[in-house]
Amino acid sequence: MKFRRLLLVLLLVGGFWFVTTHLPEGLGRFGLRNAGGSGSPLSLTEAQAAPAFDAEEQNNIAVYKKALPSVVNITSTAMTFNFFYGQVPQQGQGSGFILDKAGHVLTNFHVIADANRIEVMTSDKHHYKATIVGSDKVHDLALLQISAPNLQPVTLSDSSELVVGQKVYAIGNPFGLSGTMTRGIISSIRSIRGPEGAPIEDAIQTDAAINPGNSGGPLLNSRGEVIGINTLIASNGVEQSSGIGFAIPINTAKAVLGDLTKYGRVRRPSLGIVSLAISPDLADQMGLPAESGVLVQKVIPGGAGDRAGLHGGEQQAYLGNMQITLGGDLIVAIDGHQITDTADIATIMEKHQPGETINVTIYRGRKKLVLKLTLGENREVNT
C-alpha cells in the first residue's frame, strides 16, 4: 500500500514538472498561464517607414552636419602646486573651430591660459598636439595650429547685421560631452566686460544653452555659418546655463586674426598719454570749460601725444586717496565723436590701427583746439 502511495505521488510531481516546463500552451488550458495578466496576445503598431522631418528639424540637422566636422574639443594642461608644494597637472576643457586647411583653430584665451600642453580632438576622435600661434587677452581670443589631414574649415559670416530674435546654434564640448548642439535665439546685442575686465563691444547675448566646456566653440546662424565665439555665461555663482550666454562677435575676431598670425599678438593703437575721466562734478570743481571729457595727466615722451603736441599737467592734487595731475589738455572729441570717459576712447581705438591719423579736439585752458595725431602702438600705457 505504501509503495502505491509513493508511486502515485511521484507520478503527480513528475507530471506537474513536465507540464510546467515543456507544455506552456497546455498549461494555459488549466488556467495557470499568465496568472498575473489578461492572457491575450500582445499586438504592436509599428511605423511602416522612417519618420519624415519637418522643415525646422531638417534645418537643425543640416546645420549640425555642416558644422560638426569643423568643431574641435580642446584639453589644456597646466602645472599647479598641491598642498605639499609639489607640481601636479591640472586639466581644463573647452571648444574651438577650424579656420583653414592649414590647421588654424580659433578658441578663447581663457581656455588655454597658462597651459603647458594643449591637445585638440577633432570630430573623428583623432588627437593632435597644438601650438599657440598668437593670443589676445583683451578680446579673450587665441589662435592655435595643429597638423592634421582632411580638415574641414568653418564658414565665417558677417556679425555686423545681426538681429535680436534670429535663430542661433551652439556646438561644443559642455561638461566634456563632445559634439553637443543647443539652439536658441539672439536675445540682445550689448557691450559687456570680458573675463579680463576689458570691454567686448556688440557681444551677442543668447538663450541657447552654453555651459562650461562650450567656451571657444562657434555660435552659428541658421545656415551653419559662424557669427560668434561662445565665451561667457551669466550664472549667478552656479556654473551652468541660466539662459543668458554671451559670444564674441566674429567680426571682432576677423579684425585681429591678421595680427595674431603675423605678430603673435594684437597691435593696438595708442594716444601715448596717461589720462583721467572727468565727470560733470569734477569738471565743476576744477573749473573746466566742458562738463566731461578725458584729462591728459601725462604725455609719454616720444609717444603719439607728444609728437602731436598734447600737454600734460603740472599741478599735483588728490582725488580721494589717489594722486592726480591737473592743468593738462582736456580731450572732448576724437574725429567728431564726443569723449566723456576712457571707455569712449577705447571704443574709437578699436576701429583704428597704429600709424593712422585722427583729429583730437581739446581744451587748453579756455581755448579750443583741434590737433592731428598719428596713432602709436599700445605699450601698456593708460590710453
Side-chain angles (χ1 to χ4, degrees), residues 99-100 102-107 109 112 118 129-136 141-147 256-266:
L99 293 176
D100 58 17
H104 289 104
V105 173
L106 188 63
T107 186
F109 173 80
I112 54 89
I118 304 170
K129 182 180 178 181
T131 58
I132 301 175
V133 175
S135 61
D136 179 8
L141 296 172
L143 185 64
L144 312 179
Q145 189 165 21
I146 60 174
S147 178
V256 301
L257 283 175
D259 276 0
L260 291 179
T261 305
K262 188 174 182 179
Y263 304 107
R265 58 183 175 83
V266 177

Side-chain angles (χ1 to χ4, degrees), residues 174-209:
F175 300 114
L177 302 172
S178 61
T180 297
M181 182 173 81
T182 55
R183 188 186 68 170
I185 62 169
I186 294 178
S187 305
S188 181
I189 305 292
R190 66 175 76 246
S191 295
I192 62 169
R193 293 283 176 180
E196 299 296 326
I200 300 176
E201 299 296 329
D202 299 324
I204 306 166
Q205 181 182 330
T206 178
D207 65 350

Side-chain angles (χ1 to χ4, degrees), residues 1-10:
M1 181 65 72
K2 290 182 179 180
F3 176 76
R4 289 181 181 176
R5 290 178 181 174
L6 179 62
L7 181 61
L8 181 61
V9 169
L10 289 175

Side-chain angles (χ1 to χ4, degrees), residues 55 74 77 130 152 176 217 270 346:
I74 298 174
T77 304
Q152 182 172 321
S270 170

